[in-house]
Amino acid sequence: MSAAIAAQRTAERSGLDCSITLLERNTHPGTKIRISGGGKCNVTHQGTPAELLQQGFLRINERRFLRNALFGFSSSDLLELLHSRGVETEVRPDGKVFPLSGDASSVAMAFEELLKESSVQLVTSCRVKSIERKEGKFHTAAEGATYTSDVVILATGGVSYSKTGTTGDGLAIARKTGHNVKVPSVALAPVFTIKAPPFTLSGVALRSVALVASAGDHSVERRGDLLFTHRGFSGPAALSLSRDIAELIRENGGALLFADLFPEHTPAELEKLLLNHATKHGAQMVRKFLQICPIAPVKGAFNDAPHGTIPTALVTFIIRHALIDIDVTWSGLHKEQRQSLLSVLKRFPLGSVREIPLDQGEVSAGGVDLSEVNPKTMQSRVVPGLFLCGEVLDYAGEIGGYNLQAAFSTGWMAGVNATKASIC
Ligand SMILES: Cc1cc2nc3c(=O)[nH]c(=O)nc-3n(C[C@H](O)[C@H](O)[C@H](O)COP(=O)(O)OP(=O)(O)OC[C@H]3O[C@@H](n4cnc5c(N)ncnc54)[C@H](O)[C@@H]3O)c2cc1C
């Protein structure tokens, strides 16, 4: 939708009489927008394009690729467009931007209205089967008709949440037209463990911990809130790390998960703190201490609890994993037991993961190789006249509105440049 609107506006500005057709397999475009952000649509993130790139895209090549698009059509441009259609927005304290109405469909409807106002022809319930380039023209075969055009924009999305229409058709089309397509893999997904966490922990949140996944000599980690669910883990840390975990599993056949409850302290620093505490409070039960112990405290401020305390439900499991007596006091704790407690606090075992289903991800990584697309125009370097945008490309952003922004920005850039290319 973003690409079609930008293409139309560029044509109008250039005084070009061109016909733009948007082919959509669903009965409406924007199905994913409607379910995004739990139905509230985290449409973008507040900040400059540079800030969005930095916070939203952890891989350098993806950040580099998206730079021009995010500067070309920024979050302020997107918000201006939405505001012009009467969609007021609010910025949450964490910088996430949502429509004020709390209704994701208001964003999809605004884009549909913009489409209607322009002379873009929207053809719904129309699944594209193939795109071929013959004698300088594109022939797009869809159910019931073939469309001929000078340029084509492929904006078919990723492969997760396939019920929304994203079954990977665009990737097959890109591959057939000679592009290198990286195998799709999951991102922003909940992580299910082989053995579910104890049911008493379901719903428990660990604030600002580090989630660590390791396999063989490799490990990956992410700092953030972690939520125990009845099948594994969710929350920002799990969602953000799921892409790396999936890669670790692909290379090693599985991965083990741990939570570091003191990510800002090295084992040596934590040992010193525990020893100090033990010396001063010998009669205190370790269990009692853990119940009031800050979780993920800041270095140098061990007694402050900006992220709350260790959840009581977790304490029994810490004691159990550390193999210490439930009623042991600090003075009754041997050195080995203290070290065992320390290692559980730094590496609380969360279980083993074997697979994260692709369809569960809010986005999919993988897709058309970024090196085959010109980041200044979104035009394919393999097939001139073919433009690509959005999740069909091999990038995946973090939670926070970055993925929709990237789709809108790359779409806008593709639209502008596809029209320009059709003039030439
Ligand atoms: C549950 C969920 C929640 C999300 N929440 C957020 C959020 O709050 N904030 C955020 O930034 N991101 C969010 N995302 C991610 C975001 O929605 C996507 O990254 C974004 O929609 C990608 O845009 P796109 O245009 O590339 O693809 P899509 O939005 O997936 O659109 C692709 C379109 O192409 C159509 N299509 C596919 N194949 C064909 C074909 N063969 N012929 C015709 N049409 C076809 C599809 O039907 C679809 O309409 C969420 C995703 C999910 C699944």
Side-chain angles (χ1 to χ4, degrees), residues 58 96 161 186-192 211 222-227 229 233-246 356 360-363 396-400 403:
L58 304 185
K96 292 178 182 170
Y161 275 70
V186 68
L188 301 186
V191 177
F192 301 146
L211 174 65
R222 199 77 86 246
R223 181 97 191 256
D225 296 350
L226 181 69
L227 183 73
T229 65
F233 301 90
S234 188
L239 296 177
S240 174
L241 197 63
S242 59
R243 180 181 182 183
D244 292 342
I245 299 175
I356 308 177
Q360 299 274 343
E362 284 199 6
V363 292
E398 292 294 296
I399 289 275
N403 286 296

Side-chain angles (χ1 to χ4, degrees), residues 18-34:
C18 69
S19 130
I20 298 165
T21 309
L22 173 52
L23 307 176
E24 166 58 57
R25 66 182 284 184
N26 292 333
T27 50
H28 280 281
T31 302
K32 242 176 214 174
I33 298 176
R34 286 183 167 81

Side-chain angles (χ1 to χ4, degrees), residues 165-225:
T166 45
T167 46
D169 290 2
L171 299 183
I173 291 169
R175 206 175 285 121
K176 254 195 159 165
T177 48
H179 295 85
N180 178 29
V181 175
K182 301 258 182 85
V183 181
S185 76
V186 68
L188 301 186
V191 177
F192 301 146
T193 41
I194 292 170
K195 189 168 171 250
F199 73 93
T200 47
L201 291 180
S202 186
V204 167
L206 305 181
R207 304 271 172 225
S208 206
V209 295
L211 174 65
V212 183
S214 62
D217 294 339
H218 304 282
S219 75
V220 286
E221 87 172 65
R222 199 77 86 246
R223 181 97 191 256
D225 296 350

Side-chain angles (χ1 to χ4, degrees), residues 4-134:
I5 294 160
Q8 178 61 34
R9 289 190 174 191
T10 308
E12 269 165 28
R13 230 174 281 132
S14 324
L16 186 77
D17 180 24
C18 69
S19 130
I20 298 165
T21 309
L22 173 52
L23 307 176
E24 166 58 57
R25 66 182 284 184
N26 292 333
T27 50
H28 280 281
T31 302
K32 242 176 214 174
I33 298 176
R34 286 183 167 81
I35 61 162
S36 65
K40 294 183 178 357
C41 185
N42 176 194
V43 67
T44 185
H45 204 93
Q46 191 187 36
T48 62
E51 285 164 347
L52 264 63
L53 286 164
Q54 183 73 26
Q55 299 154 9
F57 302 91
L58 304 185
R59 305 201 177 186
I60 303 272
N61 69 319
E62 297 178 13
R63 213 180 272 168
R64 268 197 213 121
F65 178 84
L66 292 169
R67 191 176 170 77
N68 286 288
L70 261 77
F71 271 89
F73 185 77
S74 65
S75 64
S76 341
D77 295 326
L78 172 61
L79 294 178
E80 203 181 302
L81 198 65
L82 289 172
H83 296 164
S84 77
R85 299 306 317 159
V87 179
E88 293 308 319
T89 50
E90 62 167 346
V91 185
R92 299 239 176 118
D94 58 5
K96 292 178 182 170
V97 183
F98 289 83
L100 194 58
S101 62
D103 181 8
S105 58
S106 66
V107 175
M109 270 150 57
F111 271 89
E112 270 197 77
E113 276 171 29
L114 284 160
L115 273 183
K116 268 187 208 146
E117 276 168 23
S118 65
S119 51
V120 173
Q121 193 201 349
L122 173 63
V123 185
T124 54
S125 306
C126 174
R127 185 173 182 181
V128 171
K129 300 280 185 200
S130 68
I131 299 175
E132 268 184 75
R133 189 163 190 259
K134 266 193 241 151

Side-chain angles (χ1 to χ4, degrees), residues 133-333:
R133 189 163 190 259
K134 266 193 241 151
E135 290 147 21
K137 294 270 181 203
F138 286 96
H139 304 278
T140 301
E143 281 152 349
T146 295
Y147 298 80
T148 303
S149 60
D150 295 320
V151 292
V152 171
I153 301 173
L154 193 61
T156 43
V159 291
S160 68
Y161 275 70
S162 52
K163 277 190 195 143
T164 63
T166 45
T167 46
D169 290 2
L171 299 183
I173 291 169
R175 206 175 285 121
K176 254 195 159 165
T177 48
H179 295 85
N180 178 29
V181 175
K182 301 258 182 85
V183 181
S185 76
V186 68
L188 301 186
V191 177
F192 301 146
T193 41
I194 292 170
K195 189 168 171 250
F199 73 93
T200 47
L201 291 180
S202 186
V204 167
L206 305 181
R207 304 271 172 225
S208 206
V209 295
L211 174 65
V212 183
S214 62
D217 294 339
H218 304 282
S219 75
V220 286
E221 87 172 65
R222 199 77 86 246
R223 181 97 191 256
D225 296 350
L226 181 69
L227 183 73
F228 284 84
T229 65
H230 62 291
R231 293 180 67 186
F233 301 90
S234 188
L239 296 177
S240 174
L241 197 63
S242 59
R243 180 181 182 183
D244 292 342
I245 299 175
E247 286 175 3
L248 209 57
I249 294 172
R250 215 174 27 243
E251 283 154 24
N252 299 278
L256 292 172
L257 292 184
F258 303 93
D260 182 349
L261 309 184
F262 291 84
E264 291 195 24
H265 292 80
T266 63
E269 286 165 345
L270 186 59
E271 179 164 31
K272 207 169 151 195
L273 288 167
L274 293 184
L275 199 56
N276 236 340
H277 187 88
T279 318
K280 284 188 200 150
H281 307 275
Q284 184 190 40
M285 276 198 273
V286 174
R287 166 168 59 93
K288 293 277 179 206
F289 161 77
L290 290 174
Q291 281 166 358
I292 51 164
C293 179
I295 193 164
V298 178
K299 208 177 227 177
F302 186 66
N303 292 322
D304 295 344
H307 310 112
T309 52
I310 295 176
T312 308
L314 196 73
V315 170
T316 329
F317 293 95
I318 296 175
I319 300 270
R320 199 178 291 168
H321 286 304
L323 302 173
I324 57 179
D325 196 80
I326 189 81
D327 290 327
V328 72
T329 59
W330 283 110
S331 56
L333 203 66

